């Protein structure tokens, strides 16, 4: 199934007009023609079934015949991950986390962060592409970049976890995760969280966890944490 995206579609929508870029893809690449069927999501759990009424590389139009609403996962995962020095590593995390299952992502700037500026529009395109490729109907929310201290002082519900490399008492992530819960997991930059940041998180109610015996890259740690939550709830 080829999945298309349009966030303006609602239950009352009867027609969709595709952008020039998507129209070109539909008409020239996929060679879709009038009366062919398309599947479209709005990123909020809806799958719309549409039939093409006009097919042209510059403009494709389709009628919405029906729709269905898919229930979201019974757990919520918020990954809070410091941007990596190399952008492509963070982009890899965004793509794979979306494929595995994540609801919200927040980039945080830490004491040891080497990268403090992110390409929001590019990141959003990666999330969208990964959602469509993996045939998911919920688009993860990408929050604006925020300083670590600001984030941990915000009130959060559910299970709050911080993964770090300091030689202190920590619990194994696989042992502490709760089934079907709202979970927020903090992952630091290449230089890890500073001792001050770790203490700040603990004071704010976060529980320290370990992801294993080896030292992991930021993006690897983030993917392992995402998969652990998904695996527990599968």
């Amino acid at each position: 199934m080829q999945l298309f995206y349009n966030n303006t579609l609602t239950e009352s929508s009867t027609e969709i007009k595709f952008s020039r870029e998507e129209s070109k893809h539909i008409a020239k690449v996929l060679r879709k023609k009038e009366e062919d069927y398309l599947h479209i999501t709005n990123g909020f759990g809806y799958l719309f079934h549409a039939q093409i009424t006009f097919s042209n590389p510059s403009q494709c139009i389709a009628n919405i015949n029906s729709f269905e609403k898919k229930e979201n996962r019974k757990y919520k995962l918020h990954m809070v991950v410091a941007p990596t020095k190399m952008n492509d590593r963070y982009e890899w995390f965004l793509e794979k986390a979306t494929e595995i299952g994540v609801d919200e992502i927040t980039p945080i700037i830490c004491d040891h962060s080497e990268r403090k500026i992110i390409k929001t529009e590019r990141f959003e395109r990666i999330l969208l592409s990964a959602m469509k490729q993996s045939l998911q109907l919920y688009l993860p929310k990408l929050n604006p970049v925020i300083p670590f201290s600001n984030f941990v002082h915000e009130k959060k519900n559910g299970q709050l976890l911080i993964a770090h490399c300091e030689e202190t008492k920590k619990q194994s992530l696989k042992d502490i995760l709760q089934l079907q819960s709202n979970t927020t997991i903090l992952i630091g930059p290449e230089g890890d969280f500073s001792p001050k940041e770790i203490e700040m998180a603990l004071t704010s109610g976060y529980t320290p966890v370990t992801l294993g015996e080896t030292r992991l890259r930021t993006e690897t740690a983030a993917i392992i944490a995402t998969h652990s939550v998904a695996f527990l709830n599968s």
Side-chain angles (χ1 to χ4, degrees):
M1 182 177 76
Q2 180 81 32
L3 187 63
F4 292 89
Y5 170 77
N6 187 303
N7 64 355
T8 66
L9 292 181
T10 66
E11 294 183 359
S12 60
S13 298
T14 59
E15 184 182 77
I16 175 173
K17 295 182 178 180
F18 292 93
S19 66
R20 188 180 186 88
E21 181 181 356
E22 284 190 310
S23 295
K24 183 178 179 180
H25 183 68
I26 292 170
K28 295 197 69 174
V29 179
L30 298 179
R31 299 183 183 277
K32 295 286 188 180
K33 53 188 182 301
E34 280 83 358
E35 298 187 3
D36 283 347
Y37 289 93
L38 298 175
H39 302 281
I40 312 151
T41 183
N42 59 4
F44 299 106
Y46 285 85
L47 179 63
F48 296 88
H49 305 280
Q51 190 171 21
I52 298 174
T53 56
F54 182 74
S55 181
N56 186 283
S58 61
Q59 177 74 88
C60 278
I61 303 173
N63 282 342
I64 306 296
N65 294 333
S66 62
F67 67 87
E68 54 190 284
K69 175 75 180 293
K70 180 182 178 182
E71 185 179 352
N72 204 356
R73 294 179 292 271
K74 294 185 181 300
Y75 70 91
K76 297 287 186 183
L77 176 60
H78 187 175
M79 290 301 301
V80 185
V81 186
T84 52
K85 182 179 180 181
M86 302 299 291
N87 250 332
D88 60 339
R89 294 187 179 278
Y90 203 85
E91 292 172 0
W92 179 81
F93 150 66
L94 294 173
E95 179 183 77
K96 302 310 173 188
T98 301
E99 292 178 16
I100 295 167
V102 65
D103 299 280
E104 193 171 353
I105 296 169
T106 300
I108 48 170
I109 303 304
C110 304
D111 290 340
H112 297 158
S113 291
E114 294 189 59
R115 177 175 294 279
K116 300 183 179 181
I117 298 175
I118 66 169
K119 300 178 180 179
T120 303
E121 290 185 5
R122 178 171 172 81
F123 284 1
E124 289 176 339
R125 288 197 300 270
I126 290 171
L127 293 176
L128 176 57
S129 177
M131 179 198 73
K132 291 162 62 178
Q133 184 276 326
S134 56
L135 300 181
Q136 298 193 60
L137 304 181
Y138 285 89
L139 181 64
K141 179 183 178 183
L142 177 66
N143 294 316
V145 64
I146 184 174
F148 174 89
S149 58
N150 290 16
F151 182 86
V152 296
H153 286 139
E154 292 179 354
K155 183 176 176 57
K156 297 287 188 301
N157 297 318
Q159 193 171 30
L160 308 178
L161 308 174
I162 178 171
H164 65 79
C165 300
E166 289 289 309
E167 294 296 330
T168 58
K169 185 178 180 181
K170 291 174 283 188
Q171 298 186 60
S172 171
L173 177 65
K174 66 181 179 65
D175 293 334
I176 196 175
L177 282 175
Q178 300 171 1
L179 185 67
Q180 296 183 6
S181 69
N182 292 343
T183 305
T184 300
I185 303 178
L186 306 179
I187 304 289
E190 283 90 344
D192 200 12
F193 293 114
S194 67
K196 181 182 72 174
E197 288 172 332
I198 295 172
E199 183 59 34
M200 193 183 303
L202 301 186
T203 303
S204 298
Y206 286 80
T207 300
V209 296
T210 176
L211 303 177
E213 297 181 1
T214 58
R215 189 177 183 90
L216 305 173
R217 291 180 180 273
T218 294
E219 70 277 10
T220 308
I223 289 299
I224 287 179
T226 302
H227 181 265
S228 296
V229 175
F231 185 76
L232 172 69
N233 287 279
S234 63

